[in-house]
Amino acid sequence: MTFRKRCEALRMILTGSICVRPGSVYDAVSIRIAEDLGFELGMFGGSVASLAVLGDPDITLITLTELAEQMRRMSRAASLPVLVDADHGYGNAMNVRRTVEELATAGAAGLSIEDTLLPQAFGQPGTQLIPLEEGVGKMKAAVDARGDASVVIMARTGAASISGLDDAIARAVAYEGTGVDALFLTGIKSHAELEAIAAATKLPLVLGGFPEADCDYLANQRVRIALQSHAPFAAATHAVYETLKALRDGTSPKNLKGLASSELTGRVTREADVKARSAEFLGLKR
């Protein structure tokens, strides 16, 4: 699937009538698994990017280059459309332009730019937001950087849990006027808050961190994508820890539990395709 078709697949989700829950992906293997399981969309979160690439918590230490390169690795491995959490765009509005350019050429189907003040300011506890005017400038820069490309741009705000619902609505309405394709909301804690923002806006909505809610209800509120955490990375971390601990404690490799079968490993490494190419191009027997 070409990069443009991946963008078009994401756009079809946004213009559809149902709510999709994406699979959390972070490397070549995880995106292939999500694709094989039939997920319509992958979500590459900033927190799992930091964990997968650096082994660091989500405090904006990862760079744009590292994020884009990891996205490029995933794009090579699978055709699943991926939405990337691009944090604050790695700087001001001019940096946002480059962020869009880099992620688009790395194969991202879409990306979100948020209005959080990042990295955290000196001496300022808690999460802070940039001024609304600066946020509008960032969203305009993101749309401008896209040019005639089909990559999806989402304006993200967590204002509902930081500065209140009224500010969240004001920011959503302002960002909607910049030409972005969707609004990405975090910090929504109730149906009433979601319904108020949905009533004040027109664009498709994306939700992160919302309490468990029925997909039919979310779809009726114009929510087209609802995240469901980054559990796969946590599960993988636990599995690696338990396996290494068992080996360190003296367990024989043949007695280890929970390992991927050779059949599953062959599928996620696309072993059959590799063998077919080796036979055709290297003259090797299959």
Side-chain angles (χ1 to χ4, degrees):
M1 184 186 291
T2 65
F3 288 175
R4 178 171 289 274
K5 286 184 177 180
R6 299 178 199 197
C7 298
E8 291 170 353
L10 176 53
R11 288 185 177 278
M12 287 183 65
I13 291 173
L14 294 177
T15 58
S17 59
I18 65 172
C19 177
V20 168
R21 295 194 182 274
S24 177
V25 298
Y26 53 88
D27 65 6
V29 170
S30 63
I31 191 174
R32 282 179 173 172
I33 292 173
E35 183 175 64
D36 289 351
L37 290 173
F39 279 92
E40 301 91 344
L41 180 68
M43 177 68 206
F44 186 30
S47 58
V48 291
S50 184
L51 288 167
V53 176
L54 302 177
D56 283 327
D58 189 18
I59 56 172
T60 327
L61 293 178
I62 192 170
T63 66
L64 170 59
T65 302
E66 291 166 330
L67 180 75
E69 185 57 35
Q70 192 73 349
M71 182 65 246
R72 189 171 289 107
R73 293 187 181 104
M74 290 193 286
S75 296
R76 171 194 168 274
S79 297
L80 182 70
V82 174
L83 170 60
V84 181
D85 171 10
D87 287 326
H88 62 315
Y90 298 90
N92 63 21
M94 300 303 290
N95 298 104
V96 167
R97 291 193 82 263
R98 185 180 174 212
T99 295
V100 173
E101 293 167 351
E102 293 293 333
L103 290 175
T105 57
L111 59 97
S112 62
I113 300 293
E114 64 187 79
D115 56 7
T116 309
L117 179 62
L118 296 171
Q120 187 168 357
F122 177 80
Q124 298 294 327
T127 303
Q128 294 181 306
L129 301 173
I130 60 176
L132 174 58
E133 296 77 10
E134 184 179 358
V136 167
K138 283 193 170 189
M139 305 313 165
K140 287 181 176 178
V143 173
D144 180 68
R146 174 175 62 192
D148 62 356
S150 55
V151 63
V152 173
I153 306 294
M154 299 182 180
R156 173 171 170 166
T157 185
S161 62
I162 301 170
S163 51
L165 179 61
D166 289 344
D167 187 39
I169 292 175
R171 286 172 180 265
V173 170
Y175 297 156
E176 191 169 61
T178 65
V180 298
D181 302 296
L183 300 171
F184 192 138
L185 308 171
T186 62
I188 304 297
K189 293 184 172 60
S190 70
H191 289 62
E193 288 184 344
L194 174 60
E195 290 165 12
I197 293 178
T201 57
K202 298 178 181 179
L203 286 176
L205 303 179
V206 177
L207 283 186
F210 190 68
E212 292 295 330
D214 179 78
C215 273
D216 289 337
Y217 165 76
L218 294 177
N220 287 333
Q221 298 304 315
R222 238 176 33 259
V223 176
R224 297 296 173 254
I225 301 171
L227 276 59
Q228 49 184 1
S229 83
H230 299 297
F233 187 90
T237 300
H238 179 74
V240 171
Y241 178 87
E242 291 297 325
T243 300
L244 286 173
K245 184 178 184 301
L247 289 169
R248 182 63 174 169
D249 291 344
T251 301
S252 170
K254 66 180 181 181
N255 293 326
L256 291 172
K257 306 294 184 182
L259 302 185
S261 66
S262 58
E263 189 274 334
L264 176 57
T265 302
R267 270 195 284 132
V268 299
T269 59
R270 304 302 191 247
E271 185 177 30
D273 294 337
V274 172
K275 286 184 176 180
R277 295 184 187 118
S278 297
E280 182 177 357
F281 304 135
L282 294 175
L284 302 180
K285 293 183 179 180
R286 297 179 63 175

